[in-house]
Amino acid sequence: MNNMEIITFGDKDYYILKEKESNGINYIYLSNVDNPKDIMIRKSSNKDKDLYVPLDGENEFNKACLLLFKN
């Protein structure tokens, strides 16, 4: 397997599978290291670019999906 970056939320480790930047916000698609069915999308915080926070709702989720999964 390739070297993949890992980020921790709570007590769980997640692989960063994809990253995409839009308007100064970095969106990331993650998969749990121990359970590949446990996935999430997060975004960089406006205050701290190294801090990833939940999306603001369905509209932002749809935008993030388009950015991350558009070919």
Side-chain angles (χ1 to χ4, degrees):
M1 179 178 258
N2 296 340
N3 288 338
M4 298 180 80
E5 189 173 351
I6 294 177
I7 190 169
T8 302
F9 289 97
D11 62 348
K12 296 180 184 179
D13 291 331
Y14 289 83
Y15 291 121
I16 297 177
L17 300 178
K18 279 191 165 186
E19 293 183 70
K20 191 72 173 190
E21 188 272 331
S22 176
N23 297 323
I25 298 173
N26 194 39
Y27 294 93
I28 56 175
Y29 175 60
L30 306 148
S31 175
N32 186 311
V33 170
D34 297 319
N35 179 4
K37 293 181 181 181
D38 178 11
I39 59 172
M40 72 171 86
I41 297 174
R42 295 286 175 121
K43 67 178 180 177
S44 58
S45 167
N46 290 333
K47 297 177 183 178
D48 181 353
K49 296 298 180 190
D50 293 326
L51 176 65
Y52 288 90
V53 297
L55 304 179
D56 290 331
E58 187 175 347
N59 286 340
E60 188 171 38
F61 174 78
N62 291 335
K63 175 185 175 181
C65 285
L66 284 172
L67 289 167
L68 289 163
F69 306 116
K70 181 181 167 186
N71 290 336

Short mmCIF file of all heavy atoms in Angstrom, two decimals:
data_model
loop_
_atom_site.label_atom_id
_atom_site.label_comp_id
_atom_site.label_asym_id
_atom_site.label_seq_id
_atom_site.Cartn_x
_atom_site.Cartn_y
_atom_site.Cartn_z
N MET A 1 0.84 -1.18 0.00
CA MET A 1 0.00 0.00 0.00
C MET A 1 0.89 1.24 0.00
O MET A 1 1.93 1.26 0.61
CB MET A 1 -0.91 -0.03 1.23
CG MET A 1 -1.82 1.17 1.33
SD MET A 1 -2.93 1.09 2.74
CE MET A 1 -4.40 0.59 1.89
N ASN A 2 0.44 2.28 -0.66
CA ASN A 2 1.18 3.55 -0.69
C ASN A 2 1.21 4.16 0.70
O ASN A 2 0.34 3.89 1.53
CB ASN A 2 0.52 4.53 -1.65
CG ASN A 2 0.57 4.05 -3.08
OD1 ASN A 2 1.37 3.21 -3.44
ND2 ASN A 2 -0.30 4.59 -3.89
N ASN A 3 2.19 5.01 0.94
CA ASN A 3 2.21 5.77 2.19
C ASN A 3 1.07 6.77 2.15
O ASN A 3 1.01 7.61 1.26
CB ASN A 3 3.54 6.50 2.36
CG ASN A 3 4.66 5.54 2.67
OD1 ASN A 3 4.42 4.45 3.14
ND2 ASN A 3 5.87 5.96 2.42
N MET A 4 0.18 6.66 3.11
CA MET A 4 -0.98 7.55 3.15
C MET A 4 -0.91 8.37 4.43
O MET A 4 -0.52 7.86 5.48
CB MET A 4 -2.27 6.75 3.09
CG MET A 4 -2.41 5.95 1.81
SD MET A 4 -3.94 5.03 1.75
CE MET A 4 -5.07 6.30 1.26
N GLU A 5 -1.31 9.62 4.32
CA GLU A 5 -1.34 10.48 5.49
C GLU A 5 -2.51 10.06 6.38
O GLU A 5 -3.59 9.72 5.90
CB GLU A 5 -1.50 11.94 5.06
CG GLU A 5 -1.34 12.90 6.19
CD GLU A 5 -1.32 14.35 5.72
OE1 GLU A 5 -1.27 14.61 4.52
OE2 GLU A 5 -1.39 15.22 6.61
N ILE A 6 -2.27 10.07 7.68
CA ILE A 6 -3.29 9.69 8.65
C ILE A 6 -3.58 10.89 9.55
O ILE A 6 -2.67 11.61 9.96
CB ILE A 6 -2.82 8.48 9.49
CG1 ILE A 6 -2.69 7.25 8.61
CG2 ILE A 6 -3.78 8.23 10.65
CD1 ILE A 6 -2.17 6.02 9.32
N ILE A 7 -4.86 11.09 9.84
CA ILE A 7 -5.30 12.14 10.74
C ILE A 7 -6.18 11.49 11.81
O ILE A 7 -6.88 10.52 11.52
CB ILE A 7 -6.03 13.26 9.96
CG1 ILE A 7 -6.30 14.48 10.80
CG2 ILE A 7 -7.28 12.74 9.31
CD1 ILE A 7 -6.78 15.69 10.01
N THR A 8 -6.12 11.99 13.03
CA THR A 8 -6.87 11.39 14.13
C THR A 8 -8.01 12.31 14.57
O THR A 8 -7.81 13.51 14.76
CB THR A 8 -5.93 11.13 15.33
OG1 THR A 8 -4.87 10.26 14.90
CG2 THR A 8 -6.67 10.46 16.48
N PHE A 9 -9.20 11.72 14.71
CA PHE A 9 -10.37 12.41 15.26
C PHE A 9 -10.81 11.60 16.47
O PHE A 9 -11.16 10.43 16.34
CB PHE A 9 -11.51 12.48 14.24
CG PHE A 9 -11.24 13.42 13.10
CD1 PHE A 9 -10.75 12.95 11.90
CD2 PHE A 9 -11.47 14.78 13.24
CE1 PHE A 9 -10.49 13.81 10.85
CE2 PHE A 9 -11.22 15.65 12.20
CZ PHE A 9 -10.73 15.16 11.00
N GLY A 10 -10.80 12.24 17.64
CA GLY A 10 -11.10 11.51 18.86
C GLY A 10 -10.05 10.44 19.07
O GLY A 10 -8.86 10.73 19.12
N ASP A 11 -10.48 9.20 19.11
CA ASP A 11 -9.54 8.09 19.28
C ASP A 11 -9.44 7.22 18.03
O ASP A 11 -8.94 6.10 18.09
CB ASP A 11 -9.93 7.24 20.49
CG ASP A 11 -11.29 6.60 20.35
OD1 ASP A 11 -12.05 6.98 19.43
OD2 ASP A 11 -11.62 5.71 21.15
N LYS A 12 -9.91 7.73 16.89
CA LYS A 12 -9.89 6.97 15.64
C LYS A 12 -8.94 7.60 14.63
O LYS A 12 -8.91 8.82 14.48
CB LYS A 12 -11.29 6.89 15.02
CG LYS A 12 -12.28 6.14 15.88
CD LYS A 12 -13.62 6.10 15.21
CE LYS A 12 -14.67 5.43 16.08
NZ LYS A 12 -15.98 5.44 15.41
N ASP A 13 -8.20 6.74 13.93
CA ASP A 13 -7.30 7.19 12.87
C ASP A 13 -7.98 7.03 11.52
O ASP A 13 -8.64 6.01 11.26
CB ASP A 13 -6.01 6.37 12.87
CG ASP A 13 -5.15 6.64 14.08
OD1 ASP A 13 -5.21 7.76 14.63
OD2 ASP A 13 -4.40 5.74 14.49
N TYR A 14 -7.80 8.04 10.66
CA TYR A 14 -8.40 8.04 9.32
C TYR A 14 -7.32 8.30 8.28
O TYR A 14 -6.46 9.16 8.48
CB TYR A 14 -9.47 9.13 9.20
CG TYR A 14 -10.71 8.84 9.99
CD1 TYR A 14 -10.79 9.13 11.34
CD2 TYR A 14 -11.83 8.29 9.37
CE1 TYR A 14 -11.94 8.87 12.07
CE2 TYR A 14 -12.98 8.02 10.09
CZ TYR A 14 -13.03 8.30 11.43
OH TYR A 14 -14.16 8.04 12.15
N TYR A 15 -7.41 7.56 7.16
CA TYR A 15 -6.57 7.86 6.00
C TYR A 15 -7.17 9.04 5.27
O TYR A 15 -8.39 9.12 5.11
CB TYR A 15 -6.54 6.68 5.01
CG TYR A 15 -5.84 5.45 5.47
CD1 TYR A 15 -6.51 4.24 5.56
CD2 TYR A 15 -4.48 5.48 5.78
CE1 TYR A 15 -5.87 3.09 5.95
CE2 TYR A 15 -3.83 4.32 6.19
CZ TYR A 15 -4.53 3.14 6.27
OH TYR A 15 -3.88 1.99 6.67
N ILE A 16 -6.32 9.95 4.79
CA ILE A 16 -6.77 11.01 3.90
C ILE A 16 -6.69 10.44 2.49
O ILE A 16 -5.61 10.19 1.96
CB ILE A 16 -5.92 12.28 4.03
CG1 ILE A 16 -6.04 12.85 5.44
CG2 ILE A 16 -6.35 13.31 2.98
CD1 ILE A 16 -5.18 14.08 5.70
N LEU A 17 -7.86 10.20 1.88
CA LEU A 17 -7.91 9.57 0.57
C LEU A 17 -7.85 10.60 -0.57
O LEU A 17 -7.30 10.31 -1.63
CB LEU A 17 -9.18 8.73 0.43
CG LEU A 17 -9.34 7.60 1.45
CD1 LEU A 17 -10.67 6.88 1.24
CD2 LEU A 17 -8.17 6.62 1.35
N LYS A 18 -8.47 11.76 -0.36
CA LYS A 18 -8.47 12.82 -1.37
C LYS A 18 -8.49 14.17 -0.68
O LYS A 18 -9.06 14.32 0.40
CB LYS A 18 -9.71 12.74 -2.26
CG LYS A 18 -9.64 11.74 -3.35
CD LYS A 18 -10.80 11.96 -4.31
CE LYS A 18 -10.51 11.20 -5.58
NZ LYS A 18 -11.50 11.47 -6.61
N GLU A 19 -7.90 15.16 -1.36
CA GLU A 19 -7.92 16.54 -0.89
C GLU A 19 -8.21 17.44 -2.07
O GLU A 19 -7.74 17.20 -3.17
CB GLU A 19 -6.57 16.96 -0.32
CG GLU A 19 -6.18 16.25 0.94
CD GLU A 19 -4.86 16.77 1.49
OE1 GLU A 19 -4.83 17.91 1.98
OE2 GLU A 19 -3.87 16.02 1.42
N LYS A 20 -8.97 18.50 -1.82
CA LYS A 20 -9.25 19.47 -2.87
C LYS A 20 -9.45 20.84 -2.21
O LYS A 20 -10.16 20.95 -1.22
CB LYS A 20 -10.51 19.06 -3.64
CG LYS A 20 -10.74 19.82 -4.89
CD LYS A 20 -9.76 19.43 -5.94
CE LYS A 20 -10.13 20.08 -7.25
NZ LYS A 20 -9.38 19.58 -8.37
N GLU A 21 -8.83 21.86 -2.77
CA GLU A 21 -8.92 23.23 -2.24
C GLU A 21 -9.88 24.03 -3.11
O GLU A 21 -9.90 23.92 -4.32
CB GLU A 21 -7.54 23.87 -2.23
CG GLU A 21 -7.48 25.20 -1.52
CD GLU A 21 -7.79 26.37 -2.44
OE1 GLU A 21 -7.52 26.28 -3.64
OE2 GLU A 21 -8.32 27.38 -1.94
N SER A 22 -10.69 24.86 -2.46
CA SER A 22 -11.60 25.77 -3.15
C SER A 22 -11.79 27.02 -2.30
O SER A 22 -12.18 26.93 -1.14
CB SER A 22 -12.95 25.09 -3.39
OG SER A 22 -13.87 25.98 -3.99
N ASN A 23 -11.49 28.16 -2.89
CA ASN A 23 -11.67 29.45 -2.20
C ASN A 23 -11.00 29.49 -0.83
O ASN A 23 -11.58 29.98 0.15
CB ASN A 23 -13.15 29.80 -2.08
CG ASN A 23 -13.82 29.99 -3.41
OD1 ASN A 23 -13.22 30.52 -4.35
ND2 ASN A 23 -15.05 29.55 -3.53
N GLY A 24 -9.80 28.93 -0.74
CA GLY A 24 -9.04 28.97 0.51
C GLY A 24 -9.43 27.93 1.54
O GLY A 24 -8.89 27.91 2.64
N ILE A 25 -10.38 27.07 1.19
CA ILE A 25 -10.81 26.01 2.11
C ILE A 25 -10.36 24.68 1.53
O ILE A 25 -10.59 24.39 0.36
CB ILE A 25 -12.33 26.02 2.31
CG1 ILE A 25 -12.78 27.33 2.94
CG2 ILE A 25 -12.77 24.84 3.16
CD1 ILE A 25 -14.27 27.50 3.04
N ASN A 26 -9.72 23.87 2.35
CA ASN A 26 -9.26 22.55 1.94
C ASN A 26 -10.27 21.51 2.41
O ASN A 26 -10.57 21.41 3.59
CB ASN A 26 -7.88 22.26 2.53
CG ASN A 26 -7.22 21.08 1.89
OD1 ASN A 26 -7.32 20.89 0.68
ND2 ASN A 26 -6.54 20.28 2.67
N TYR A 27 -10.83 20.75 1.46
CA TYR A 27 -11.77 19.67 1.77
C TYR A 27 -11.02 18.35 1.70
O TYR A 27 -10.20 18.15 0.81
CB TYR A 27 -12.94 19.67 0.78
CG TYR A 27 -13.81 20.88 0.90
CD1 TYR A 27 -13.59 22.00 0.11
CD2 TYR A 27 -14.87 20.93 1.80
CE1 TYR A 27 -14.38 23.13 0.22
CE2 TYR A 27 -15.67 22.05 1.92
CZ TYR A 27 -15.42 23.14 1.12
OH TYR A 27 -16.22 24.26 1.24
N ILE A 28 -11.30 17.45 2.66
CA ILE A 28 -10.64 16.15 2.66
C ILE A 28 -11.68 15.04 2.78
O ILE A 28 -12.70 15.18 3.46
CB ILE A 28 -9.59 16.03 3.79
CG1 ILE A 28 -10.18 16.31 5.16
CG2 ILE A 28 -8.40 16.94 3.52
CD1 ILE A 28 -9.22 16.08 6.32
N TYR A 29 -11.39 13.93 2.09
CA TYR A 29 -12.22 12.73 2.14
C TYR A 29 -11.42 11.69 2.92
O TYR A 29 -10.27 11.41 2.59
CB TYR A 29 -12.51 12.26 0.72
CG TYR A 29 -13.26 10.96 0.62
CD1 TYR A 29 -14.52 10.82 1.19
CD2 TYR A 29 -12.72 9.88 -0.06
CE1 TYR A 29 -15.22 9.63 1.08
CE2 TYR A 29 -13.41 8.69 -0.18
CZ TYR A 29 -14.67 8.57 0.39
OH TYR A 29 -15.34 7.39 0.28
N LEU A 30 -12.03 11.13 3.96
CA LEU A 30 -11.33 10.27 4.90
C LEU A 30 -11.99 8.90 5.03
O LEU A 30 -13.20 8.77 4.88
CB LEU A 30 -11.34 10.92 6.29
CG LEU A 30 -10.82 12.34 6.36
CD1 LEU A 30 -11.53 13.12 7.43
CD2 LEU A 30 -9.34 12.31 6.62
N SER A 31 -11.15 7.90 5.35
CA SER A 31 -11.64 6.56 5.64
C SER A 31 -10.94 6.04 6.88
O SER A 31 -9.72 6.14 7.01
CB SER A 31 -11.36 5.63 4.45
OG SER A 31 -11.72 4.31 4.76
N ASN A 32 -11.72 5.46 7.79
CA ASN A 32 -11.20 4.91 9.03
C ASN A 32 -10.18 3.81 8.72
O ASN A 32 -10.44 2.93 7.89
CB ASN A 32 -12.36 4.35 9.87
CG ASN A 32 -11.96 3.88 11.23
OD1 ASN A 32 -10.99 3.16 11.40
ND2 ASN A 32 -12.72 4.30 12.23
N VAL A 33 -9.05 3.85 9.37
CA VAL A 33 -7.98 2.87 9.16
C VAL A 33 -8.47 1.46 9.47
O VAL A 33 -8.13 0.51 8.75
CB VAL A 33 -6.75 3.23 10.03
CG1 VAL A 33 -5.72 2.13 10.03
CG2 VAL A 33 -6.14 4.55 9.58
N ASP A 34 -9.28 1.30 10.50
CA ASP A 34 -9.73 -0.02 10.94
C ASP A 34 -11.08 -0.45 10.35
O ASP A 34 -11.44 -1.61 10.43
CB ASP A 34 -9.83 -0.05 12.46
CG ASP A 34 -8.49 0.16 13.12
OD1 ASP A 34 -7.49 -0.41 12.63
OD2 ASP A 34 -8.42 0.89 14.13
N ASN A 35 -11.83 0.51 9.78
CA ASN A 35 -13.16 0.21 9.24
C ASN A 35 -13.40 1.06 8.00
O ASN A 35 -13.88 2.18 8.10
CB ASN A 35 -14.24 0.48 10.29
CG ASN A 35 -15.63 0.20 9.78
OD1 ASN A 35 -15.83 -0.26 8.67
ND2 ASN A 35 -16.62 0.50 10.61
N PRO A 36 -13.09 0.55 6.81
CA PRO A 36 -13.21 1.34 5.58
C PRO A 36 -14.63 1.84 5.28
O PRO A 36 -14.80 2.77 4.51
CB PRO A 36 -12.75 0.39 4.48
CG PRO A 36 -12.21 -0.81 5.13
CD PRO A 36 -12.58 -0.79 6.57
N LYS A 37 -15.64 1.26 5.93
CA LYS A 37 -17.01 1.74 5.74
C LYS A 37 -17.28 3.02 6.53
O LYS A 37 -18.28 3.70 6.29
CB LYS A 37 -18.01 0.66 6.11
CG LYS A 37 -17.96 -0.53 5.17
CD LYS A 37 -18.98 -1.56 5.56
CE LYS A 37 -18.90 -2.74 4.61
NZ LYS A 37 -19.89 -3.77 4.95
N ASP A 38 -16.42 3.34 7.47
CA ASP A 38 -16.53 4.56 8.29
C ASP A 38 -15.78 5.67 7.54
O ASP A 38 -14.56 5.75 7.59
CB ASP A 38 -15.93 4.32 9.67
CG ASP A 38 -15.94 5.56 10.57
OD1 ASP A 38 -16.59 6.56 10.21
OD2 ASP A 38 -15.28 5.50 11.62
N ILE A 39 -16.54 6.49 6.83
CA ILE A 39 -15.94 7.56 6.02
C ILE A 39 -16.49 8.91 6.46
O ILE A 39 -17.53 8.99 7.11
CB ILE A 39 -16.21 7.34 4.51
CG1 ILE A 39 -17.71 7.31 4.25
CG2 ILE A 39 -15.53 6.08 4.02
CD1 ILE A 39 -18.07 7.31 2.79
N MET A 40 -15.79 9.97 6.09
CA MET A 40 -16.27 11.32 6.38
C MET A 40 -15.59 12.32 5.46
O MET A 40 -14.55 12.04 4.86
CB MET A 40 -16.06 11.71 7.84
CG MET A 40 -14.64 11.97 8.25
SD MET A 40 -14.49 12.67 9.90
CE MET A 40 -14.48 11.20 10.89
N ILE A 41 -16.22 13.48 5.35
CA ILE A 41 -15.65 14.61 4.63
C ILE A 41 -15.56 15.75 5.63
O ILE A 41 -16.51 16.04 6.35
CB ILE A 41 -16.53 15.03 3.43
CG1 ILE A 41 -16.60 13.90 2.41
CG2 ILE A 41 -15.98 16.31 2.79
CD1 ILE A 41 -17.55 14.15 1.26
N ARG A 42 -14.41 16.38 5.69
CA ARG A 42 -14.18 17.52 6.59
C ARG A 42 -13.58 18.66 5.79
O ARG A 42 -13.17 18.49 4.64
CB ARG A 42 -13.21 17.14 7.72
CG ARG A 42 -13.72 16.10 8.67
CD ARG A 42 -14.76 16.70 9.59
NE ARG A 42 -15.37 15.72 10.46
CZ ARG A 42 -15.35 15.77 11.78
NH1 ARG A 42 -14.71 16.74 12.39
NH2 ARG A 42 -15.97 14.86 12.49
N LYS A 43 -13.51 19.84 6.42
CA LYS A 43 -12.91 21.01 5.79
C LYS A 43 -11.96 21.68 6.77
O LYS A 43 -12.09 21.52 7.98
CB LYS A 43 -13.98 22.00 5.34
CG LYS A 43 -14.72 22.65 6.51
CD LYS A 43 -15.72 23.66 6.03
CE LYS A 43 -16.44 24.30 7.21
NZ LYS A 43 -17.38 25.33 6.77
N SER A 44 -11.02 22.44 6.21
CA SER A 44 -10.09 23.18 7.07
C SER A 44 -10.84 24.34 7.73
O SER A 44 -11.75 24.94 7.16
CB SER A 44 -8.91 23.71 6.26
OG SER A 44 -9.34 24.54 5.20
N SER A 45 -10.46 24.63 8.95
CA SER A 45 -11.05 25.73 9.70
C SER A 45 -10.58 27.06 9.14
O SER A 45 -9.45 27.19 8.66
CB SER A 45 -10.63 25.61 11.17
OG SER A 45 -10.91 26.77 11.89
N ASN A 46 -11.44 28.07 9.21
CA ASN A 46 -11.04 29.42 8.77
C ASN A 46 -9.95 30.00 9.66
O ASN A 46 -9.14 30.79 9.21
CB ASN A 46 -12.25 30.36 8.79
CG ASN A 46 -13.25 30.04 7.70
OD1 ASN A 46 -12.90 29.50 6.66
ND2 ASN A 46 -14.50 30.35 7.95
N LYS A 47 -9.93 29.61 10.94
CA LYS A 47 -8.99 30.16 11.90
C LYS A 47 -7.66 29.41 11.94
O LYS A 47 -6.64 29.98 12.28
CB LYS A 47 -9.61 30.17 13.30
CG LYS A 47 -10.82 31.07 13.38
CD LYS A 47 -11.47 31.00 14.74
CE LYS A 47 -12.72 31.86 14.75
NZ LYS A 47 -13.43 31.81 16.00
N ASP A 48 -7.69 28.10 11.64
CA ASP A 48 -6.50 27.27 11.72
C ASP A 48 -6.53 26.25 10.59
O ASP A 48 -7.32 25.30 10.63
CB ASP A 48 -6.45 26.55 13.08
CG ASP A 48 -5.23 25.67 13.25
OD1 ASP A 48 -4.45 25.49 12.30
OD2 ASP A 48 -5.05 25.14 14.36
N LYS A 49 -5.70 26.44 9.57
CA LYS A 49 -5.72 25.59 8.38
C LYS A 49 -5.32 24.15 8.67
O LYS A 49 -5.56 23.26 7.87
CB LYS A 49 -4.81 26.17 7.28
CG LYS A 49 -5.27 27.52 6.77
CD LYS A 49 -6.64 27.42 6.13
CE LYS A 49 -7.11 28.77 5.62
NZ LYS A 49 -8.49 28.78 5.22
N ASP A 50 -4.72 23.88 9.84
CA ASP A 50 -4.34 22.52 10.23
C ASP A 50 -5.44 21.82 11.04
O ASP A 50 -5.29 20.67 11.42
CB ASP A 50 -3.04 22.53 11.03
CG ASP A 50 -1.86 22.95 10.17
OD1 ASP A 50 -1.84 22.62 8.97
OD2 ASP A 50 -0.95 23.61 10.70
N LEU A 51 -6.54 22.53 11.30
CA LEU A 51 -7.66 21.98 12.04
C LEU A 51 -8.78 21.68 11.05
O LEU A 51 -9.15 22.54 10.25
CB LEU A 51 -8.14 22.97 13.10
CG LEU A 51 -9.38 22.59 13.89
CD1 LEU A 51 -9.11 21.36 14.75
CD2 LEU A 51 -9.84 23.75 14.75
N TYR A 52 -9.31 20.47 11.08
CA TYR A 52 -10.40 20.08 10.17
C TYR A 52 -11.69 19.94 10.96
O TYR A 52 -11.73 19.31 12.02
CB TYR A 52 -10.04 18.80 9.43
CG TYR A 52 -8.98 19.05 8.39
CD1 TYR A 52 -7.63 18.95 8.71
CD2 TYR A 52 -9.33 19.47 7.12
CE1 TYR A 52 -6.65 19.22 7.77
CE2 TYR A 52 -8.36 19.75 6.17
CZ TYR A 52 -7.03 19.62 6.50
OH TYR A 52 -6.07 19.91 5.58
N VAL A 53 -12.75 20.55 10.44
CA VAL A 53 -14.03 20.64 11.13
C VAL A 53 -15.14 20.07 10.25
O VAL A 53 -14.98 19.95 9.02
CB VAL A 53 -14.33 22.10 11.52
CG1 VAL A 53 -13.29 22.64 12.49
CG2 VAL A 53 -14.41 23.00 10.28
N PRO A 54 -16.30 19.76 10.85
CA PRO A 54 -17.44 19.28 10.05
C PRO A 54 -17.92 20.34 9.06
O PRO A 54 -17.72 21.54 9.26
CB PRO A 54 -18.52 19.00 11.10
CG PRO A 54 -17.78 18.81 12.38
CD PRO A 54 -16.59 19.73 12.29
N LEU A 55 -18.60 19.87 8.03
CA LEU A 55 -19.18 20.77 7.04
C LEU A 55 -20.40 21.46 7.64
O LEU A 55 -20.97 21.00 8.63
CB LEU A 55 -19.57 19.99 5.79
CG LEU A 55 -18.43 19.20 5.14
CD1 LEU A 55 -18.95 18.45 3.91
CD2 LEU A 55 -17.27 20.09 4.77
N ASP A 56 -20.82 22.57 7.01
CA ASP A 56 -21.89 23.40 7.56
C ASP A 56 -23.30 22.95 7.20
O ASP A 56 -24.26 23.60 7.60
CB ASP A 56 -21.70 24.85 7.12
CG ASP A 56 -20.51 25.51 7.80
OD1 ASP A 56 -20.17 25.11 8.93
OD2 ASP A 56 -19.91 26.41 7.19
N GLY A 57 -23.45 21.91 6.43
CA GLY A 57 -24.79 21.44 6.10
C GLY A 57 -24.82 20.75 4.75
O GLY A 57 -23.78 20.49 4.13
N GLU A 58 -26.04 20.46 4.30
CA GLU A 58 -26.22 19.70 3.07
C GLU A 58 -25.66 20.42 1.84
O GLU A 58 -25.05 19.79 0.97
CB GLU A 58 -27.69 19.38 2.85
CG GLU A 58 -27.94 18.46 1.69
CD GLU A 58 -29.39 18.04 1.56
OE1 GLU A 58 -30.18 18.26 2.49
OE2 GLU A 58 -29.72 17.50 0.50
N ASN A 59 -25.84 21.73 1.75
CA ASN A 59 -25.32 22.47 0.60
C ASN A 59 -23.80 22.38 0.52
O ASN A 59 -23.24 22.17 -0.55
CB ASN A 59 -25.76 23.93 0.63
CG ASN A 59 -27.22 24.10 0.28
OD1 ASN A 59 -27.83 23.23 -0.34
ND2 ASN A 59 -27.80 25.21 0.69
N GLU A 60 -23.13 22.54 1.65
CA GLU A 60 -21.67 22.44 1.65
C GLU A 60 -21.23 21.01 1.40
O GLU A 60 -20.22 20.77 0.72
CB GLU A 60 -21.07 22.97 2.94
CG GLU A 60 -19.56 23.06 2.84
CD GLU A 60 -18.90 23.75 4.00
OE1 GLU A 60 -19.36 23.58 5.16
OE2 GLU A 60 -17.92 24.47 3.75
N PHE A 61 -21.98 20.04 1.91
CA PHE A 61 -21.68 18.63 1.63
C PHE A 61 -21.74 18.36 0.13
O PHE A 61 -20.84 17.74 -0.44
CB PHE A 61 -22.65 17.71 2.38
CG PHE A 61 -22.49 16.26 2.03
CD1 PHE A 61 -21.46 15.51 2.58
CD2 PHE A 61 -23.36 15.66 1.15
CE1 PHE A 61 -21.31 14.17 2.26
CE2 PHE A 61 -23.22 14.32 0.81
CZ PHE A 61 -22.19 13.58 1.37
N ASN A 62 -22.79 18.85 -0.53
CA ASN A 62 -22.93 18.66 -1.97
C ASN A 62 -21.77 19.33 -2.72
O ASN A 62 -21.23 18.75 -3.67
CB ASN A 62 -24.27 19.20 -2.46
CG ASN A 62 -25.43 18.38 -1.96
OD1 ASN A 62 -25.29 17.20 -1.66
ND2 ASN A 62 -26.59 19.00 -1.86
N LYS A 63 -21.40 20.53 -2.31
CA LYS A 63 -20.27 21.23 -2.94
C LYS A 63 -18.98 20.43 -2.77
O LYS A 63 -18.21 20.24 -3.73
CB LYS A 63 -20.10 22.62 -2.32
CG LYS A 63 -18.89 23.35 -2.81
CD LYS A 63 -18.69 24.67 -2.08
CE LYS A 63 -17.41 25.33 -2.51
NZ LYS A 63 -17.15 26.58 -1.81
N ALA A 64 -18.73 19.95 -1.56
CA ALA A 64 -17.51 19.18 -1.28
C ALA A 64 -17.49 17.90 -2.11
O ALA A 64 -16.44 17.55 -2.66
CB ALA A 64 -17.43 18.86 0.21
N CYS A 65 -18.62 17.22 -2.23
CA CYS A 65 -18.67 16.00 -3.04
C CYS A 65 -18.35 16.30 -4.50
O CYS A 65 -17.61 15.55 -5.14
CB CYS A 65 -20.04 15.33 -2.92
SG CYS A 65 -20.29 14.49 -1.35
N LEU A 66 -18.90 17.38 -5.02
CA LEU A 66 -18.60 17.75 -6.41
C LEU A 66 -17.11 18.03 -6.59
O LEU A 66 -16.51 17.59 -7.57
CB LEU A 66 -19.42 18.98 -6.82
CG LEU A 66 -20.88 18.72 -7.13
CD1 LEU A 66 -21.62 20.05 -7.33
CD2 LEU A 66 -21.06 17.83 -8.34
N LEU A 67 -16.53 18.74 -5.65
CA LEU A 67 -15.10 19.04 -5.74
C LEU A 67 -14.23 17.79 -5.63
O LEU A 67 -13.30 17.60 -6.39
CB LEU A 67 -14.69 20.02 -4.64
CG LEU A 67 -15.17 21.44 -4.77
CD1 LEU A 67 -14.97 22.20 -3.46
CD2 LEU A 67 -14.44 22.14 -5.91
N LEU A 68 -14.55 16.94 -4.69
CA LEU A 68 -13.71 15.78 -4.41
C LEU A 68 -13.86 14.65 -5.43
O LEU A 68 -12.91 13.93 -5.71
CB LEU A 68 -14.01 15.24 -3.01
CG LEU A 68 -13.52 16.10 -1.86
CD1 LEU A 68 -14.22 15.70 -0.56
CD2 LEU A 68 -12.03 16.00 -1.71
N PHE A 69 -15.06 14.50 -5.98
CA PHE A 69 -15.32 13.32 -6.82
C PHE A 69 -15.55 13.63 -8.29
O PHE A 69 -15.79 12.73 -9.07
CB PHE A 69 -16.48 12.52 -6.23
CG PHE A 69 -16.25 12.17 -4.80
CD1 PHE A 69 -17.08 12.65 -3.80
CD2 PHE A 69 -15.17 11.38 -4.43
CE1 PHE A 69 -16.85 12.33 -2.46
CE2 PHE A 69 -14.92 11.06 -3.10
CZ PHE A 69 -15.78 11.55 -2.12
N LYS A 70 -15.46 14.90 -8.66
CA LYS A 70 -15.58 15.28 -10.07
C LYS A 70 -14.32 14.83 -10.81
O LYS A 70 -13.22 15.02 -10.34
CB LYS A 70 -15.73 16.80 -10.16
CG LYS A 70 -15.88 17.32 -11.55
CD LYS A 70 -16.01 18.82 -11.50
CE LYS A 70 -15.85 19.42 -12.87
NZ LYS A 70 -15.83 20.87 -12.82
N ASN A 71 -14.50 14.22 -11.96
CA ASN A 71 -13.35 13.75 -12.74
C ASN A 71 -12.73 14.84 -13.56
O ASN A 71 -13.16 15.71 -14.05
CB ASN A 71 -13.75 12.60 -13.66
CG ASN A 71 -14.05 11.35 -12.85
OD1 ASN A 71 -13.56 11.19 -11.74
ND2 ASN A 71 -14.85 10.48 -13.38
#
